[in-house]
Amino acid sequence: HDLTVALRSKAQLILDNMCFCRRIENFGQFKPLENACFQPGEEVHVYVQVRNFASRSVKMGGYSTALKGKLEIYDEYNREKPFMCWHSELHTDYSCTLRQDYFVNFRFQVPPKCPPGSYTVFITVEDWTNAAPDANEVAKPRSARSSLDFRVGGPIARQPHANIADVTPAR
């Protein structure tokens, strides 16, 4: 067990089980959406499980994990510059026992004047657990990035399982 814990923080950070959700209650307790189609102004929840995150013991007892996130949305016609970008603050989680699993609930609102079409949300998570206190950056951040496609304003017209990048070439 001790070897697994020591190696986990050195292994590649992995984002698992990422999906749009109607409701997120806790780790493994969520209601995924069957159809990723949203309306302008609608709040969207993305459930993301994180594996191989670091934890460190704290002086008062227990453990801490520090993660930072970034959410970028690209439309089907512009793959160079995100339509929307949001950076989270550093979030430090304290626990009395060593965590074996972790999840993040990313929330965003579809912009009220968002045009109908196909979009991709990219989520990046960085592990800052071993960064120096009050650091502005991590020397070698452990990060992972994953994506989900969604539609604003109507049903998806492309074949299922096709990514926007496969259907529309980047400009």
Side-chain angles (χ1 to χ4, degrees), residues 72-143:
E72 300 168 289
I73 297 176
Y74 292 84
D75 69 30
E76 63 188 315
Y77 301 110
N78 184 354
R79 308 302 279 173
E80 301 299 318
K81 183 178 177 192
F83 176 77
M84 179 178 151
C85 187
W86 173 77
H87 296 264
S88 74
E89 297 293 320
L90 182 64
H91 174 75
T92 303
D93 176 71
Y94 296 97
S95 175
C96 292
T97 60
L98 190 61
R99 291 206 185 277
Q100 301 299 313
D101 39 39
Y102 201 89
F103 83 101
V104 181
N105 178 0
F106 282 89
R107 291 186 305 254
F108 67 94
Q109 183 178 20
V110 176
K113 294 186 180 186
C114 184
S118 297
Y119 295 85
T120 301
V121 59
F122 284 92
I123 291 182
T124 305
V125 175
E126 291 182 339
D127 190 339
W128 283 56
T129 303
N130 294 319
D134 301 323
N136 290 330
E137 60 183 41
V138 178
K140 288 179 82 177
R142 295 176 59 240
S143 67

Side-chain angles (χ1 to χ4, degrees), residues 14-26:
I14 296 172
L15 303 184
D16 270 343
N17 204 7
M18 188 164 124
C19 60
F20 293 109
C21 292
R22 178 178 333 280
R23 184 179 70 249
I24 301 171
E25 293 177 18
N26 208 334

